[in-house]
Amino acid sequence: IKEKIPDLTPGELRFLALSKLKLTPKEMGAMLGISASTIRNYRLRLRRKLDLGEDASIEEIADAI
């Protein structure tokens, strides 16, 4: 992941790894010790950072890596 997208933070890397496991936002939040709404915010910020459109999915990006 770091080779394809080098400017990701450690938190974004963890989020992508959990997305690749197909966990729900609630399950991700429980594992990271944050709320499900924070997971939604992570998803939004990551989508903006990677310059993805509204139709693109973070899960598709995680699966492609």
Side-chain angles (χ1 to χ4, degrees), residues 12-31:
E12 291 165 341
L13 287 171
R14 280 190 300 267
F15 174 75
L16 279 175
L18 293 175
S19 293
K20 193 167 178 79
L21 294 173
K22 310 247 188 257
L23 297 176
T24 65
K26 189 174 182 179
E27 291 169 330
M28 286 185 213
M31 292 183 93

Side-chain angles (χ1 to χ4, degrees), residues 1 3-6 10-11 13 15-16 21 28-29 33 35 39-40 43-44 50-51 55 58-60 62:
I1 296 175
E3 291 175 5
K4 292 186 178 190
I5 312 168
L13 287 171
F15 174 75
L16 279 175
L21 294 173
M28 286 185 213
S35 69
I39 295 294
R40 284 190 288 274
R43 185 173 284 132
L44 266 172
L50 298 177
D51 214 18
D55 58 336
I58 297 293
E59 288 77 17
E60 290 173 1

Side-chain angles (χ1 to χ4, degrees), residues 5 37 46 48:
I5 312 168
S37 63
L46 193 57
R48 279 190 221 131

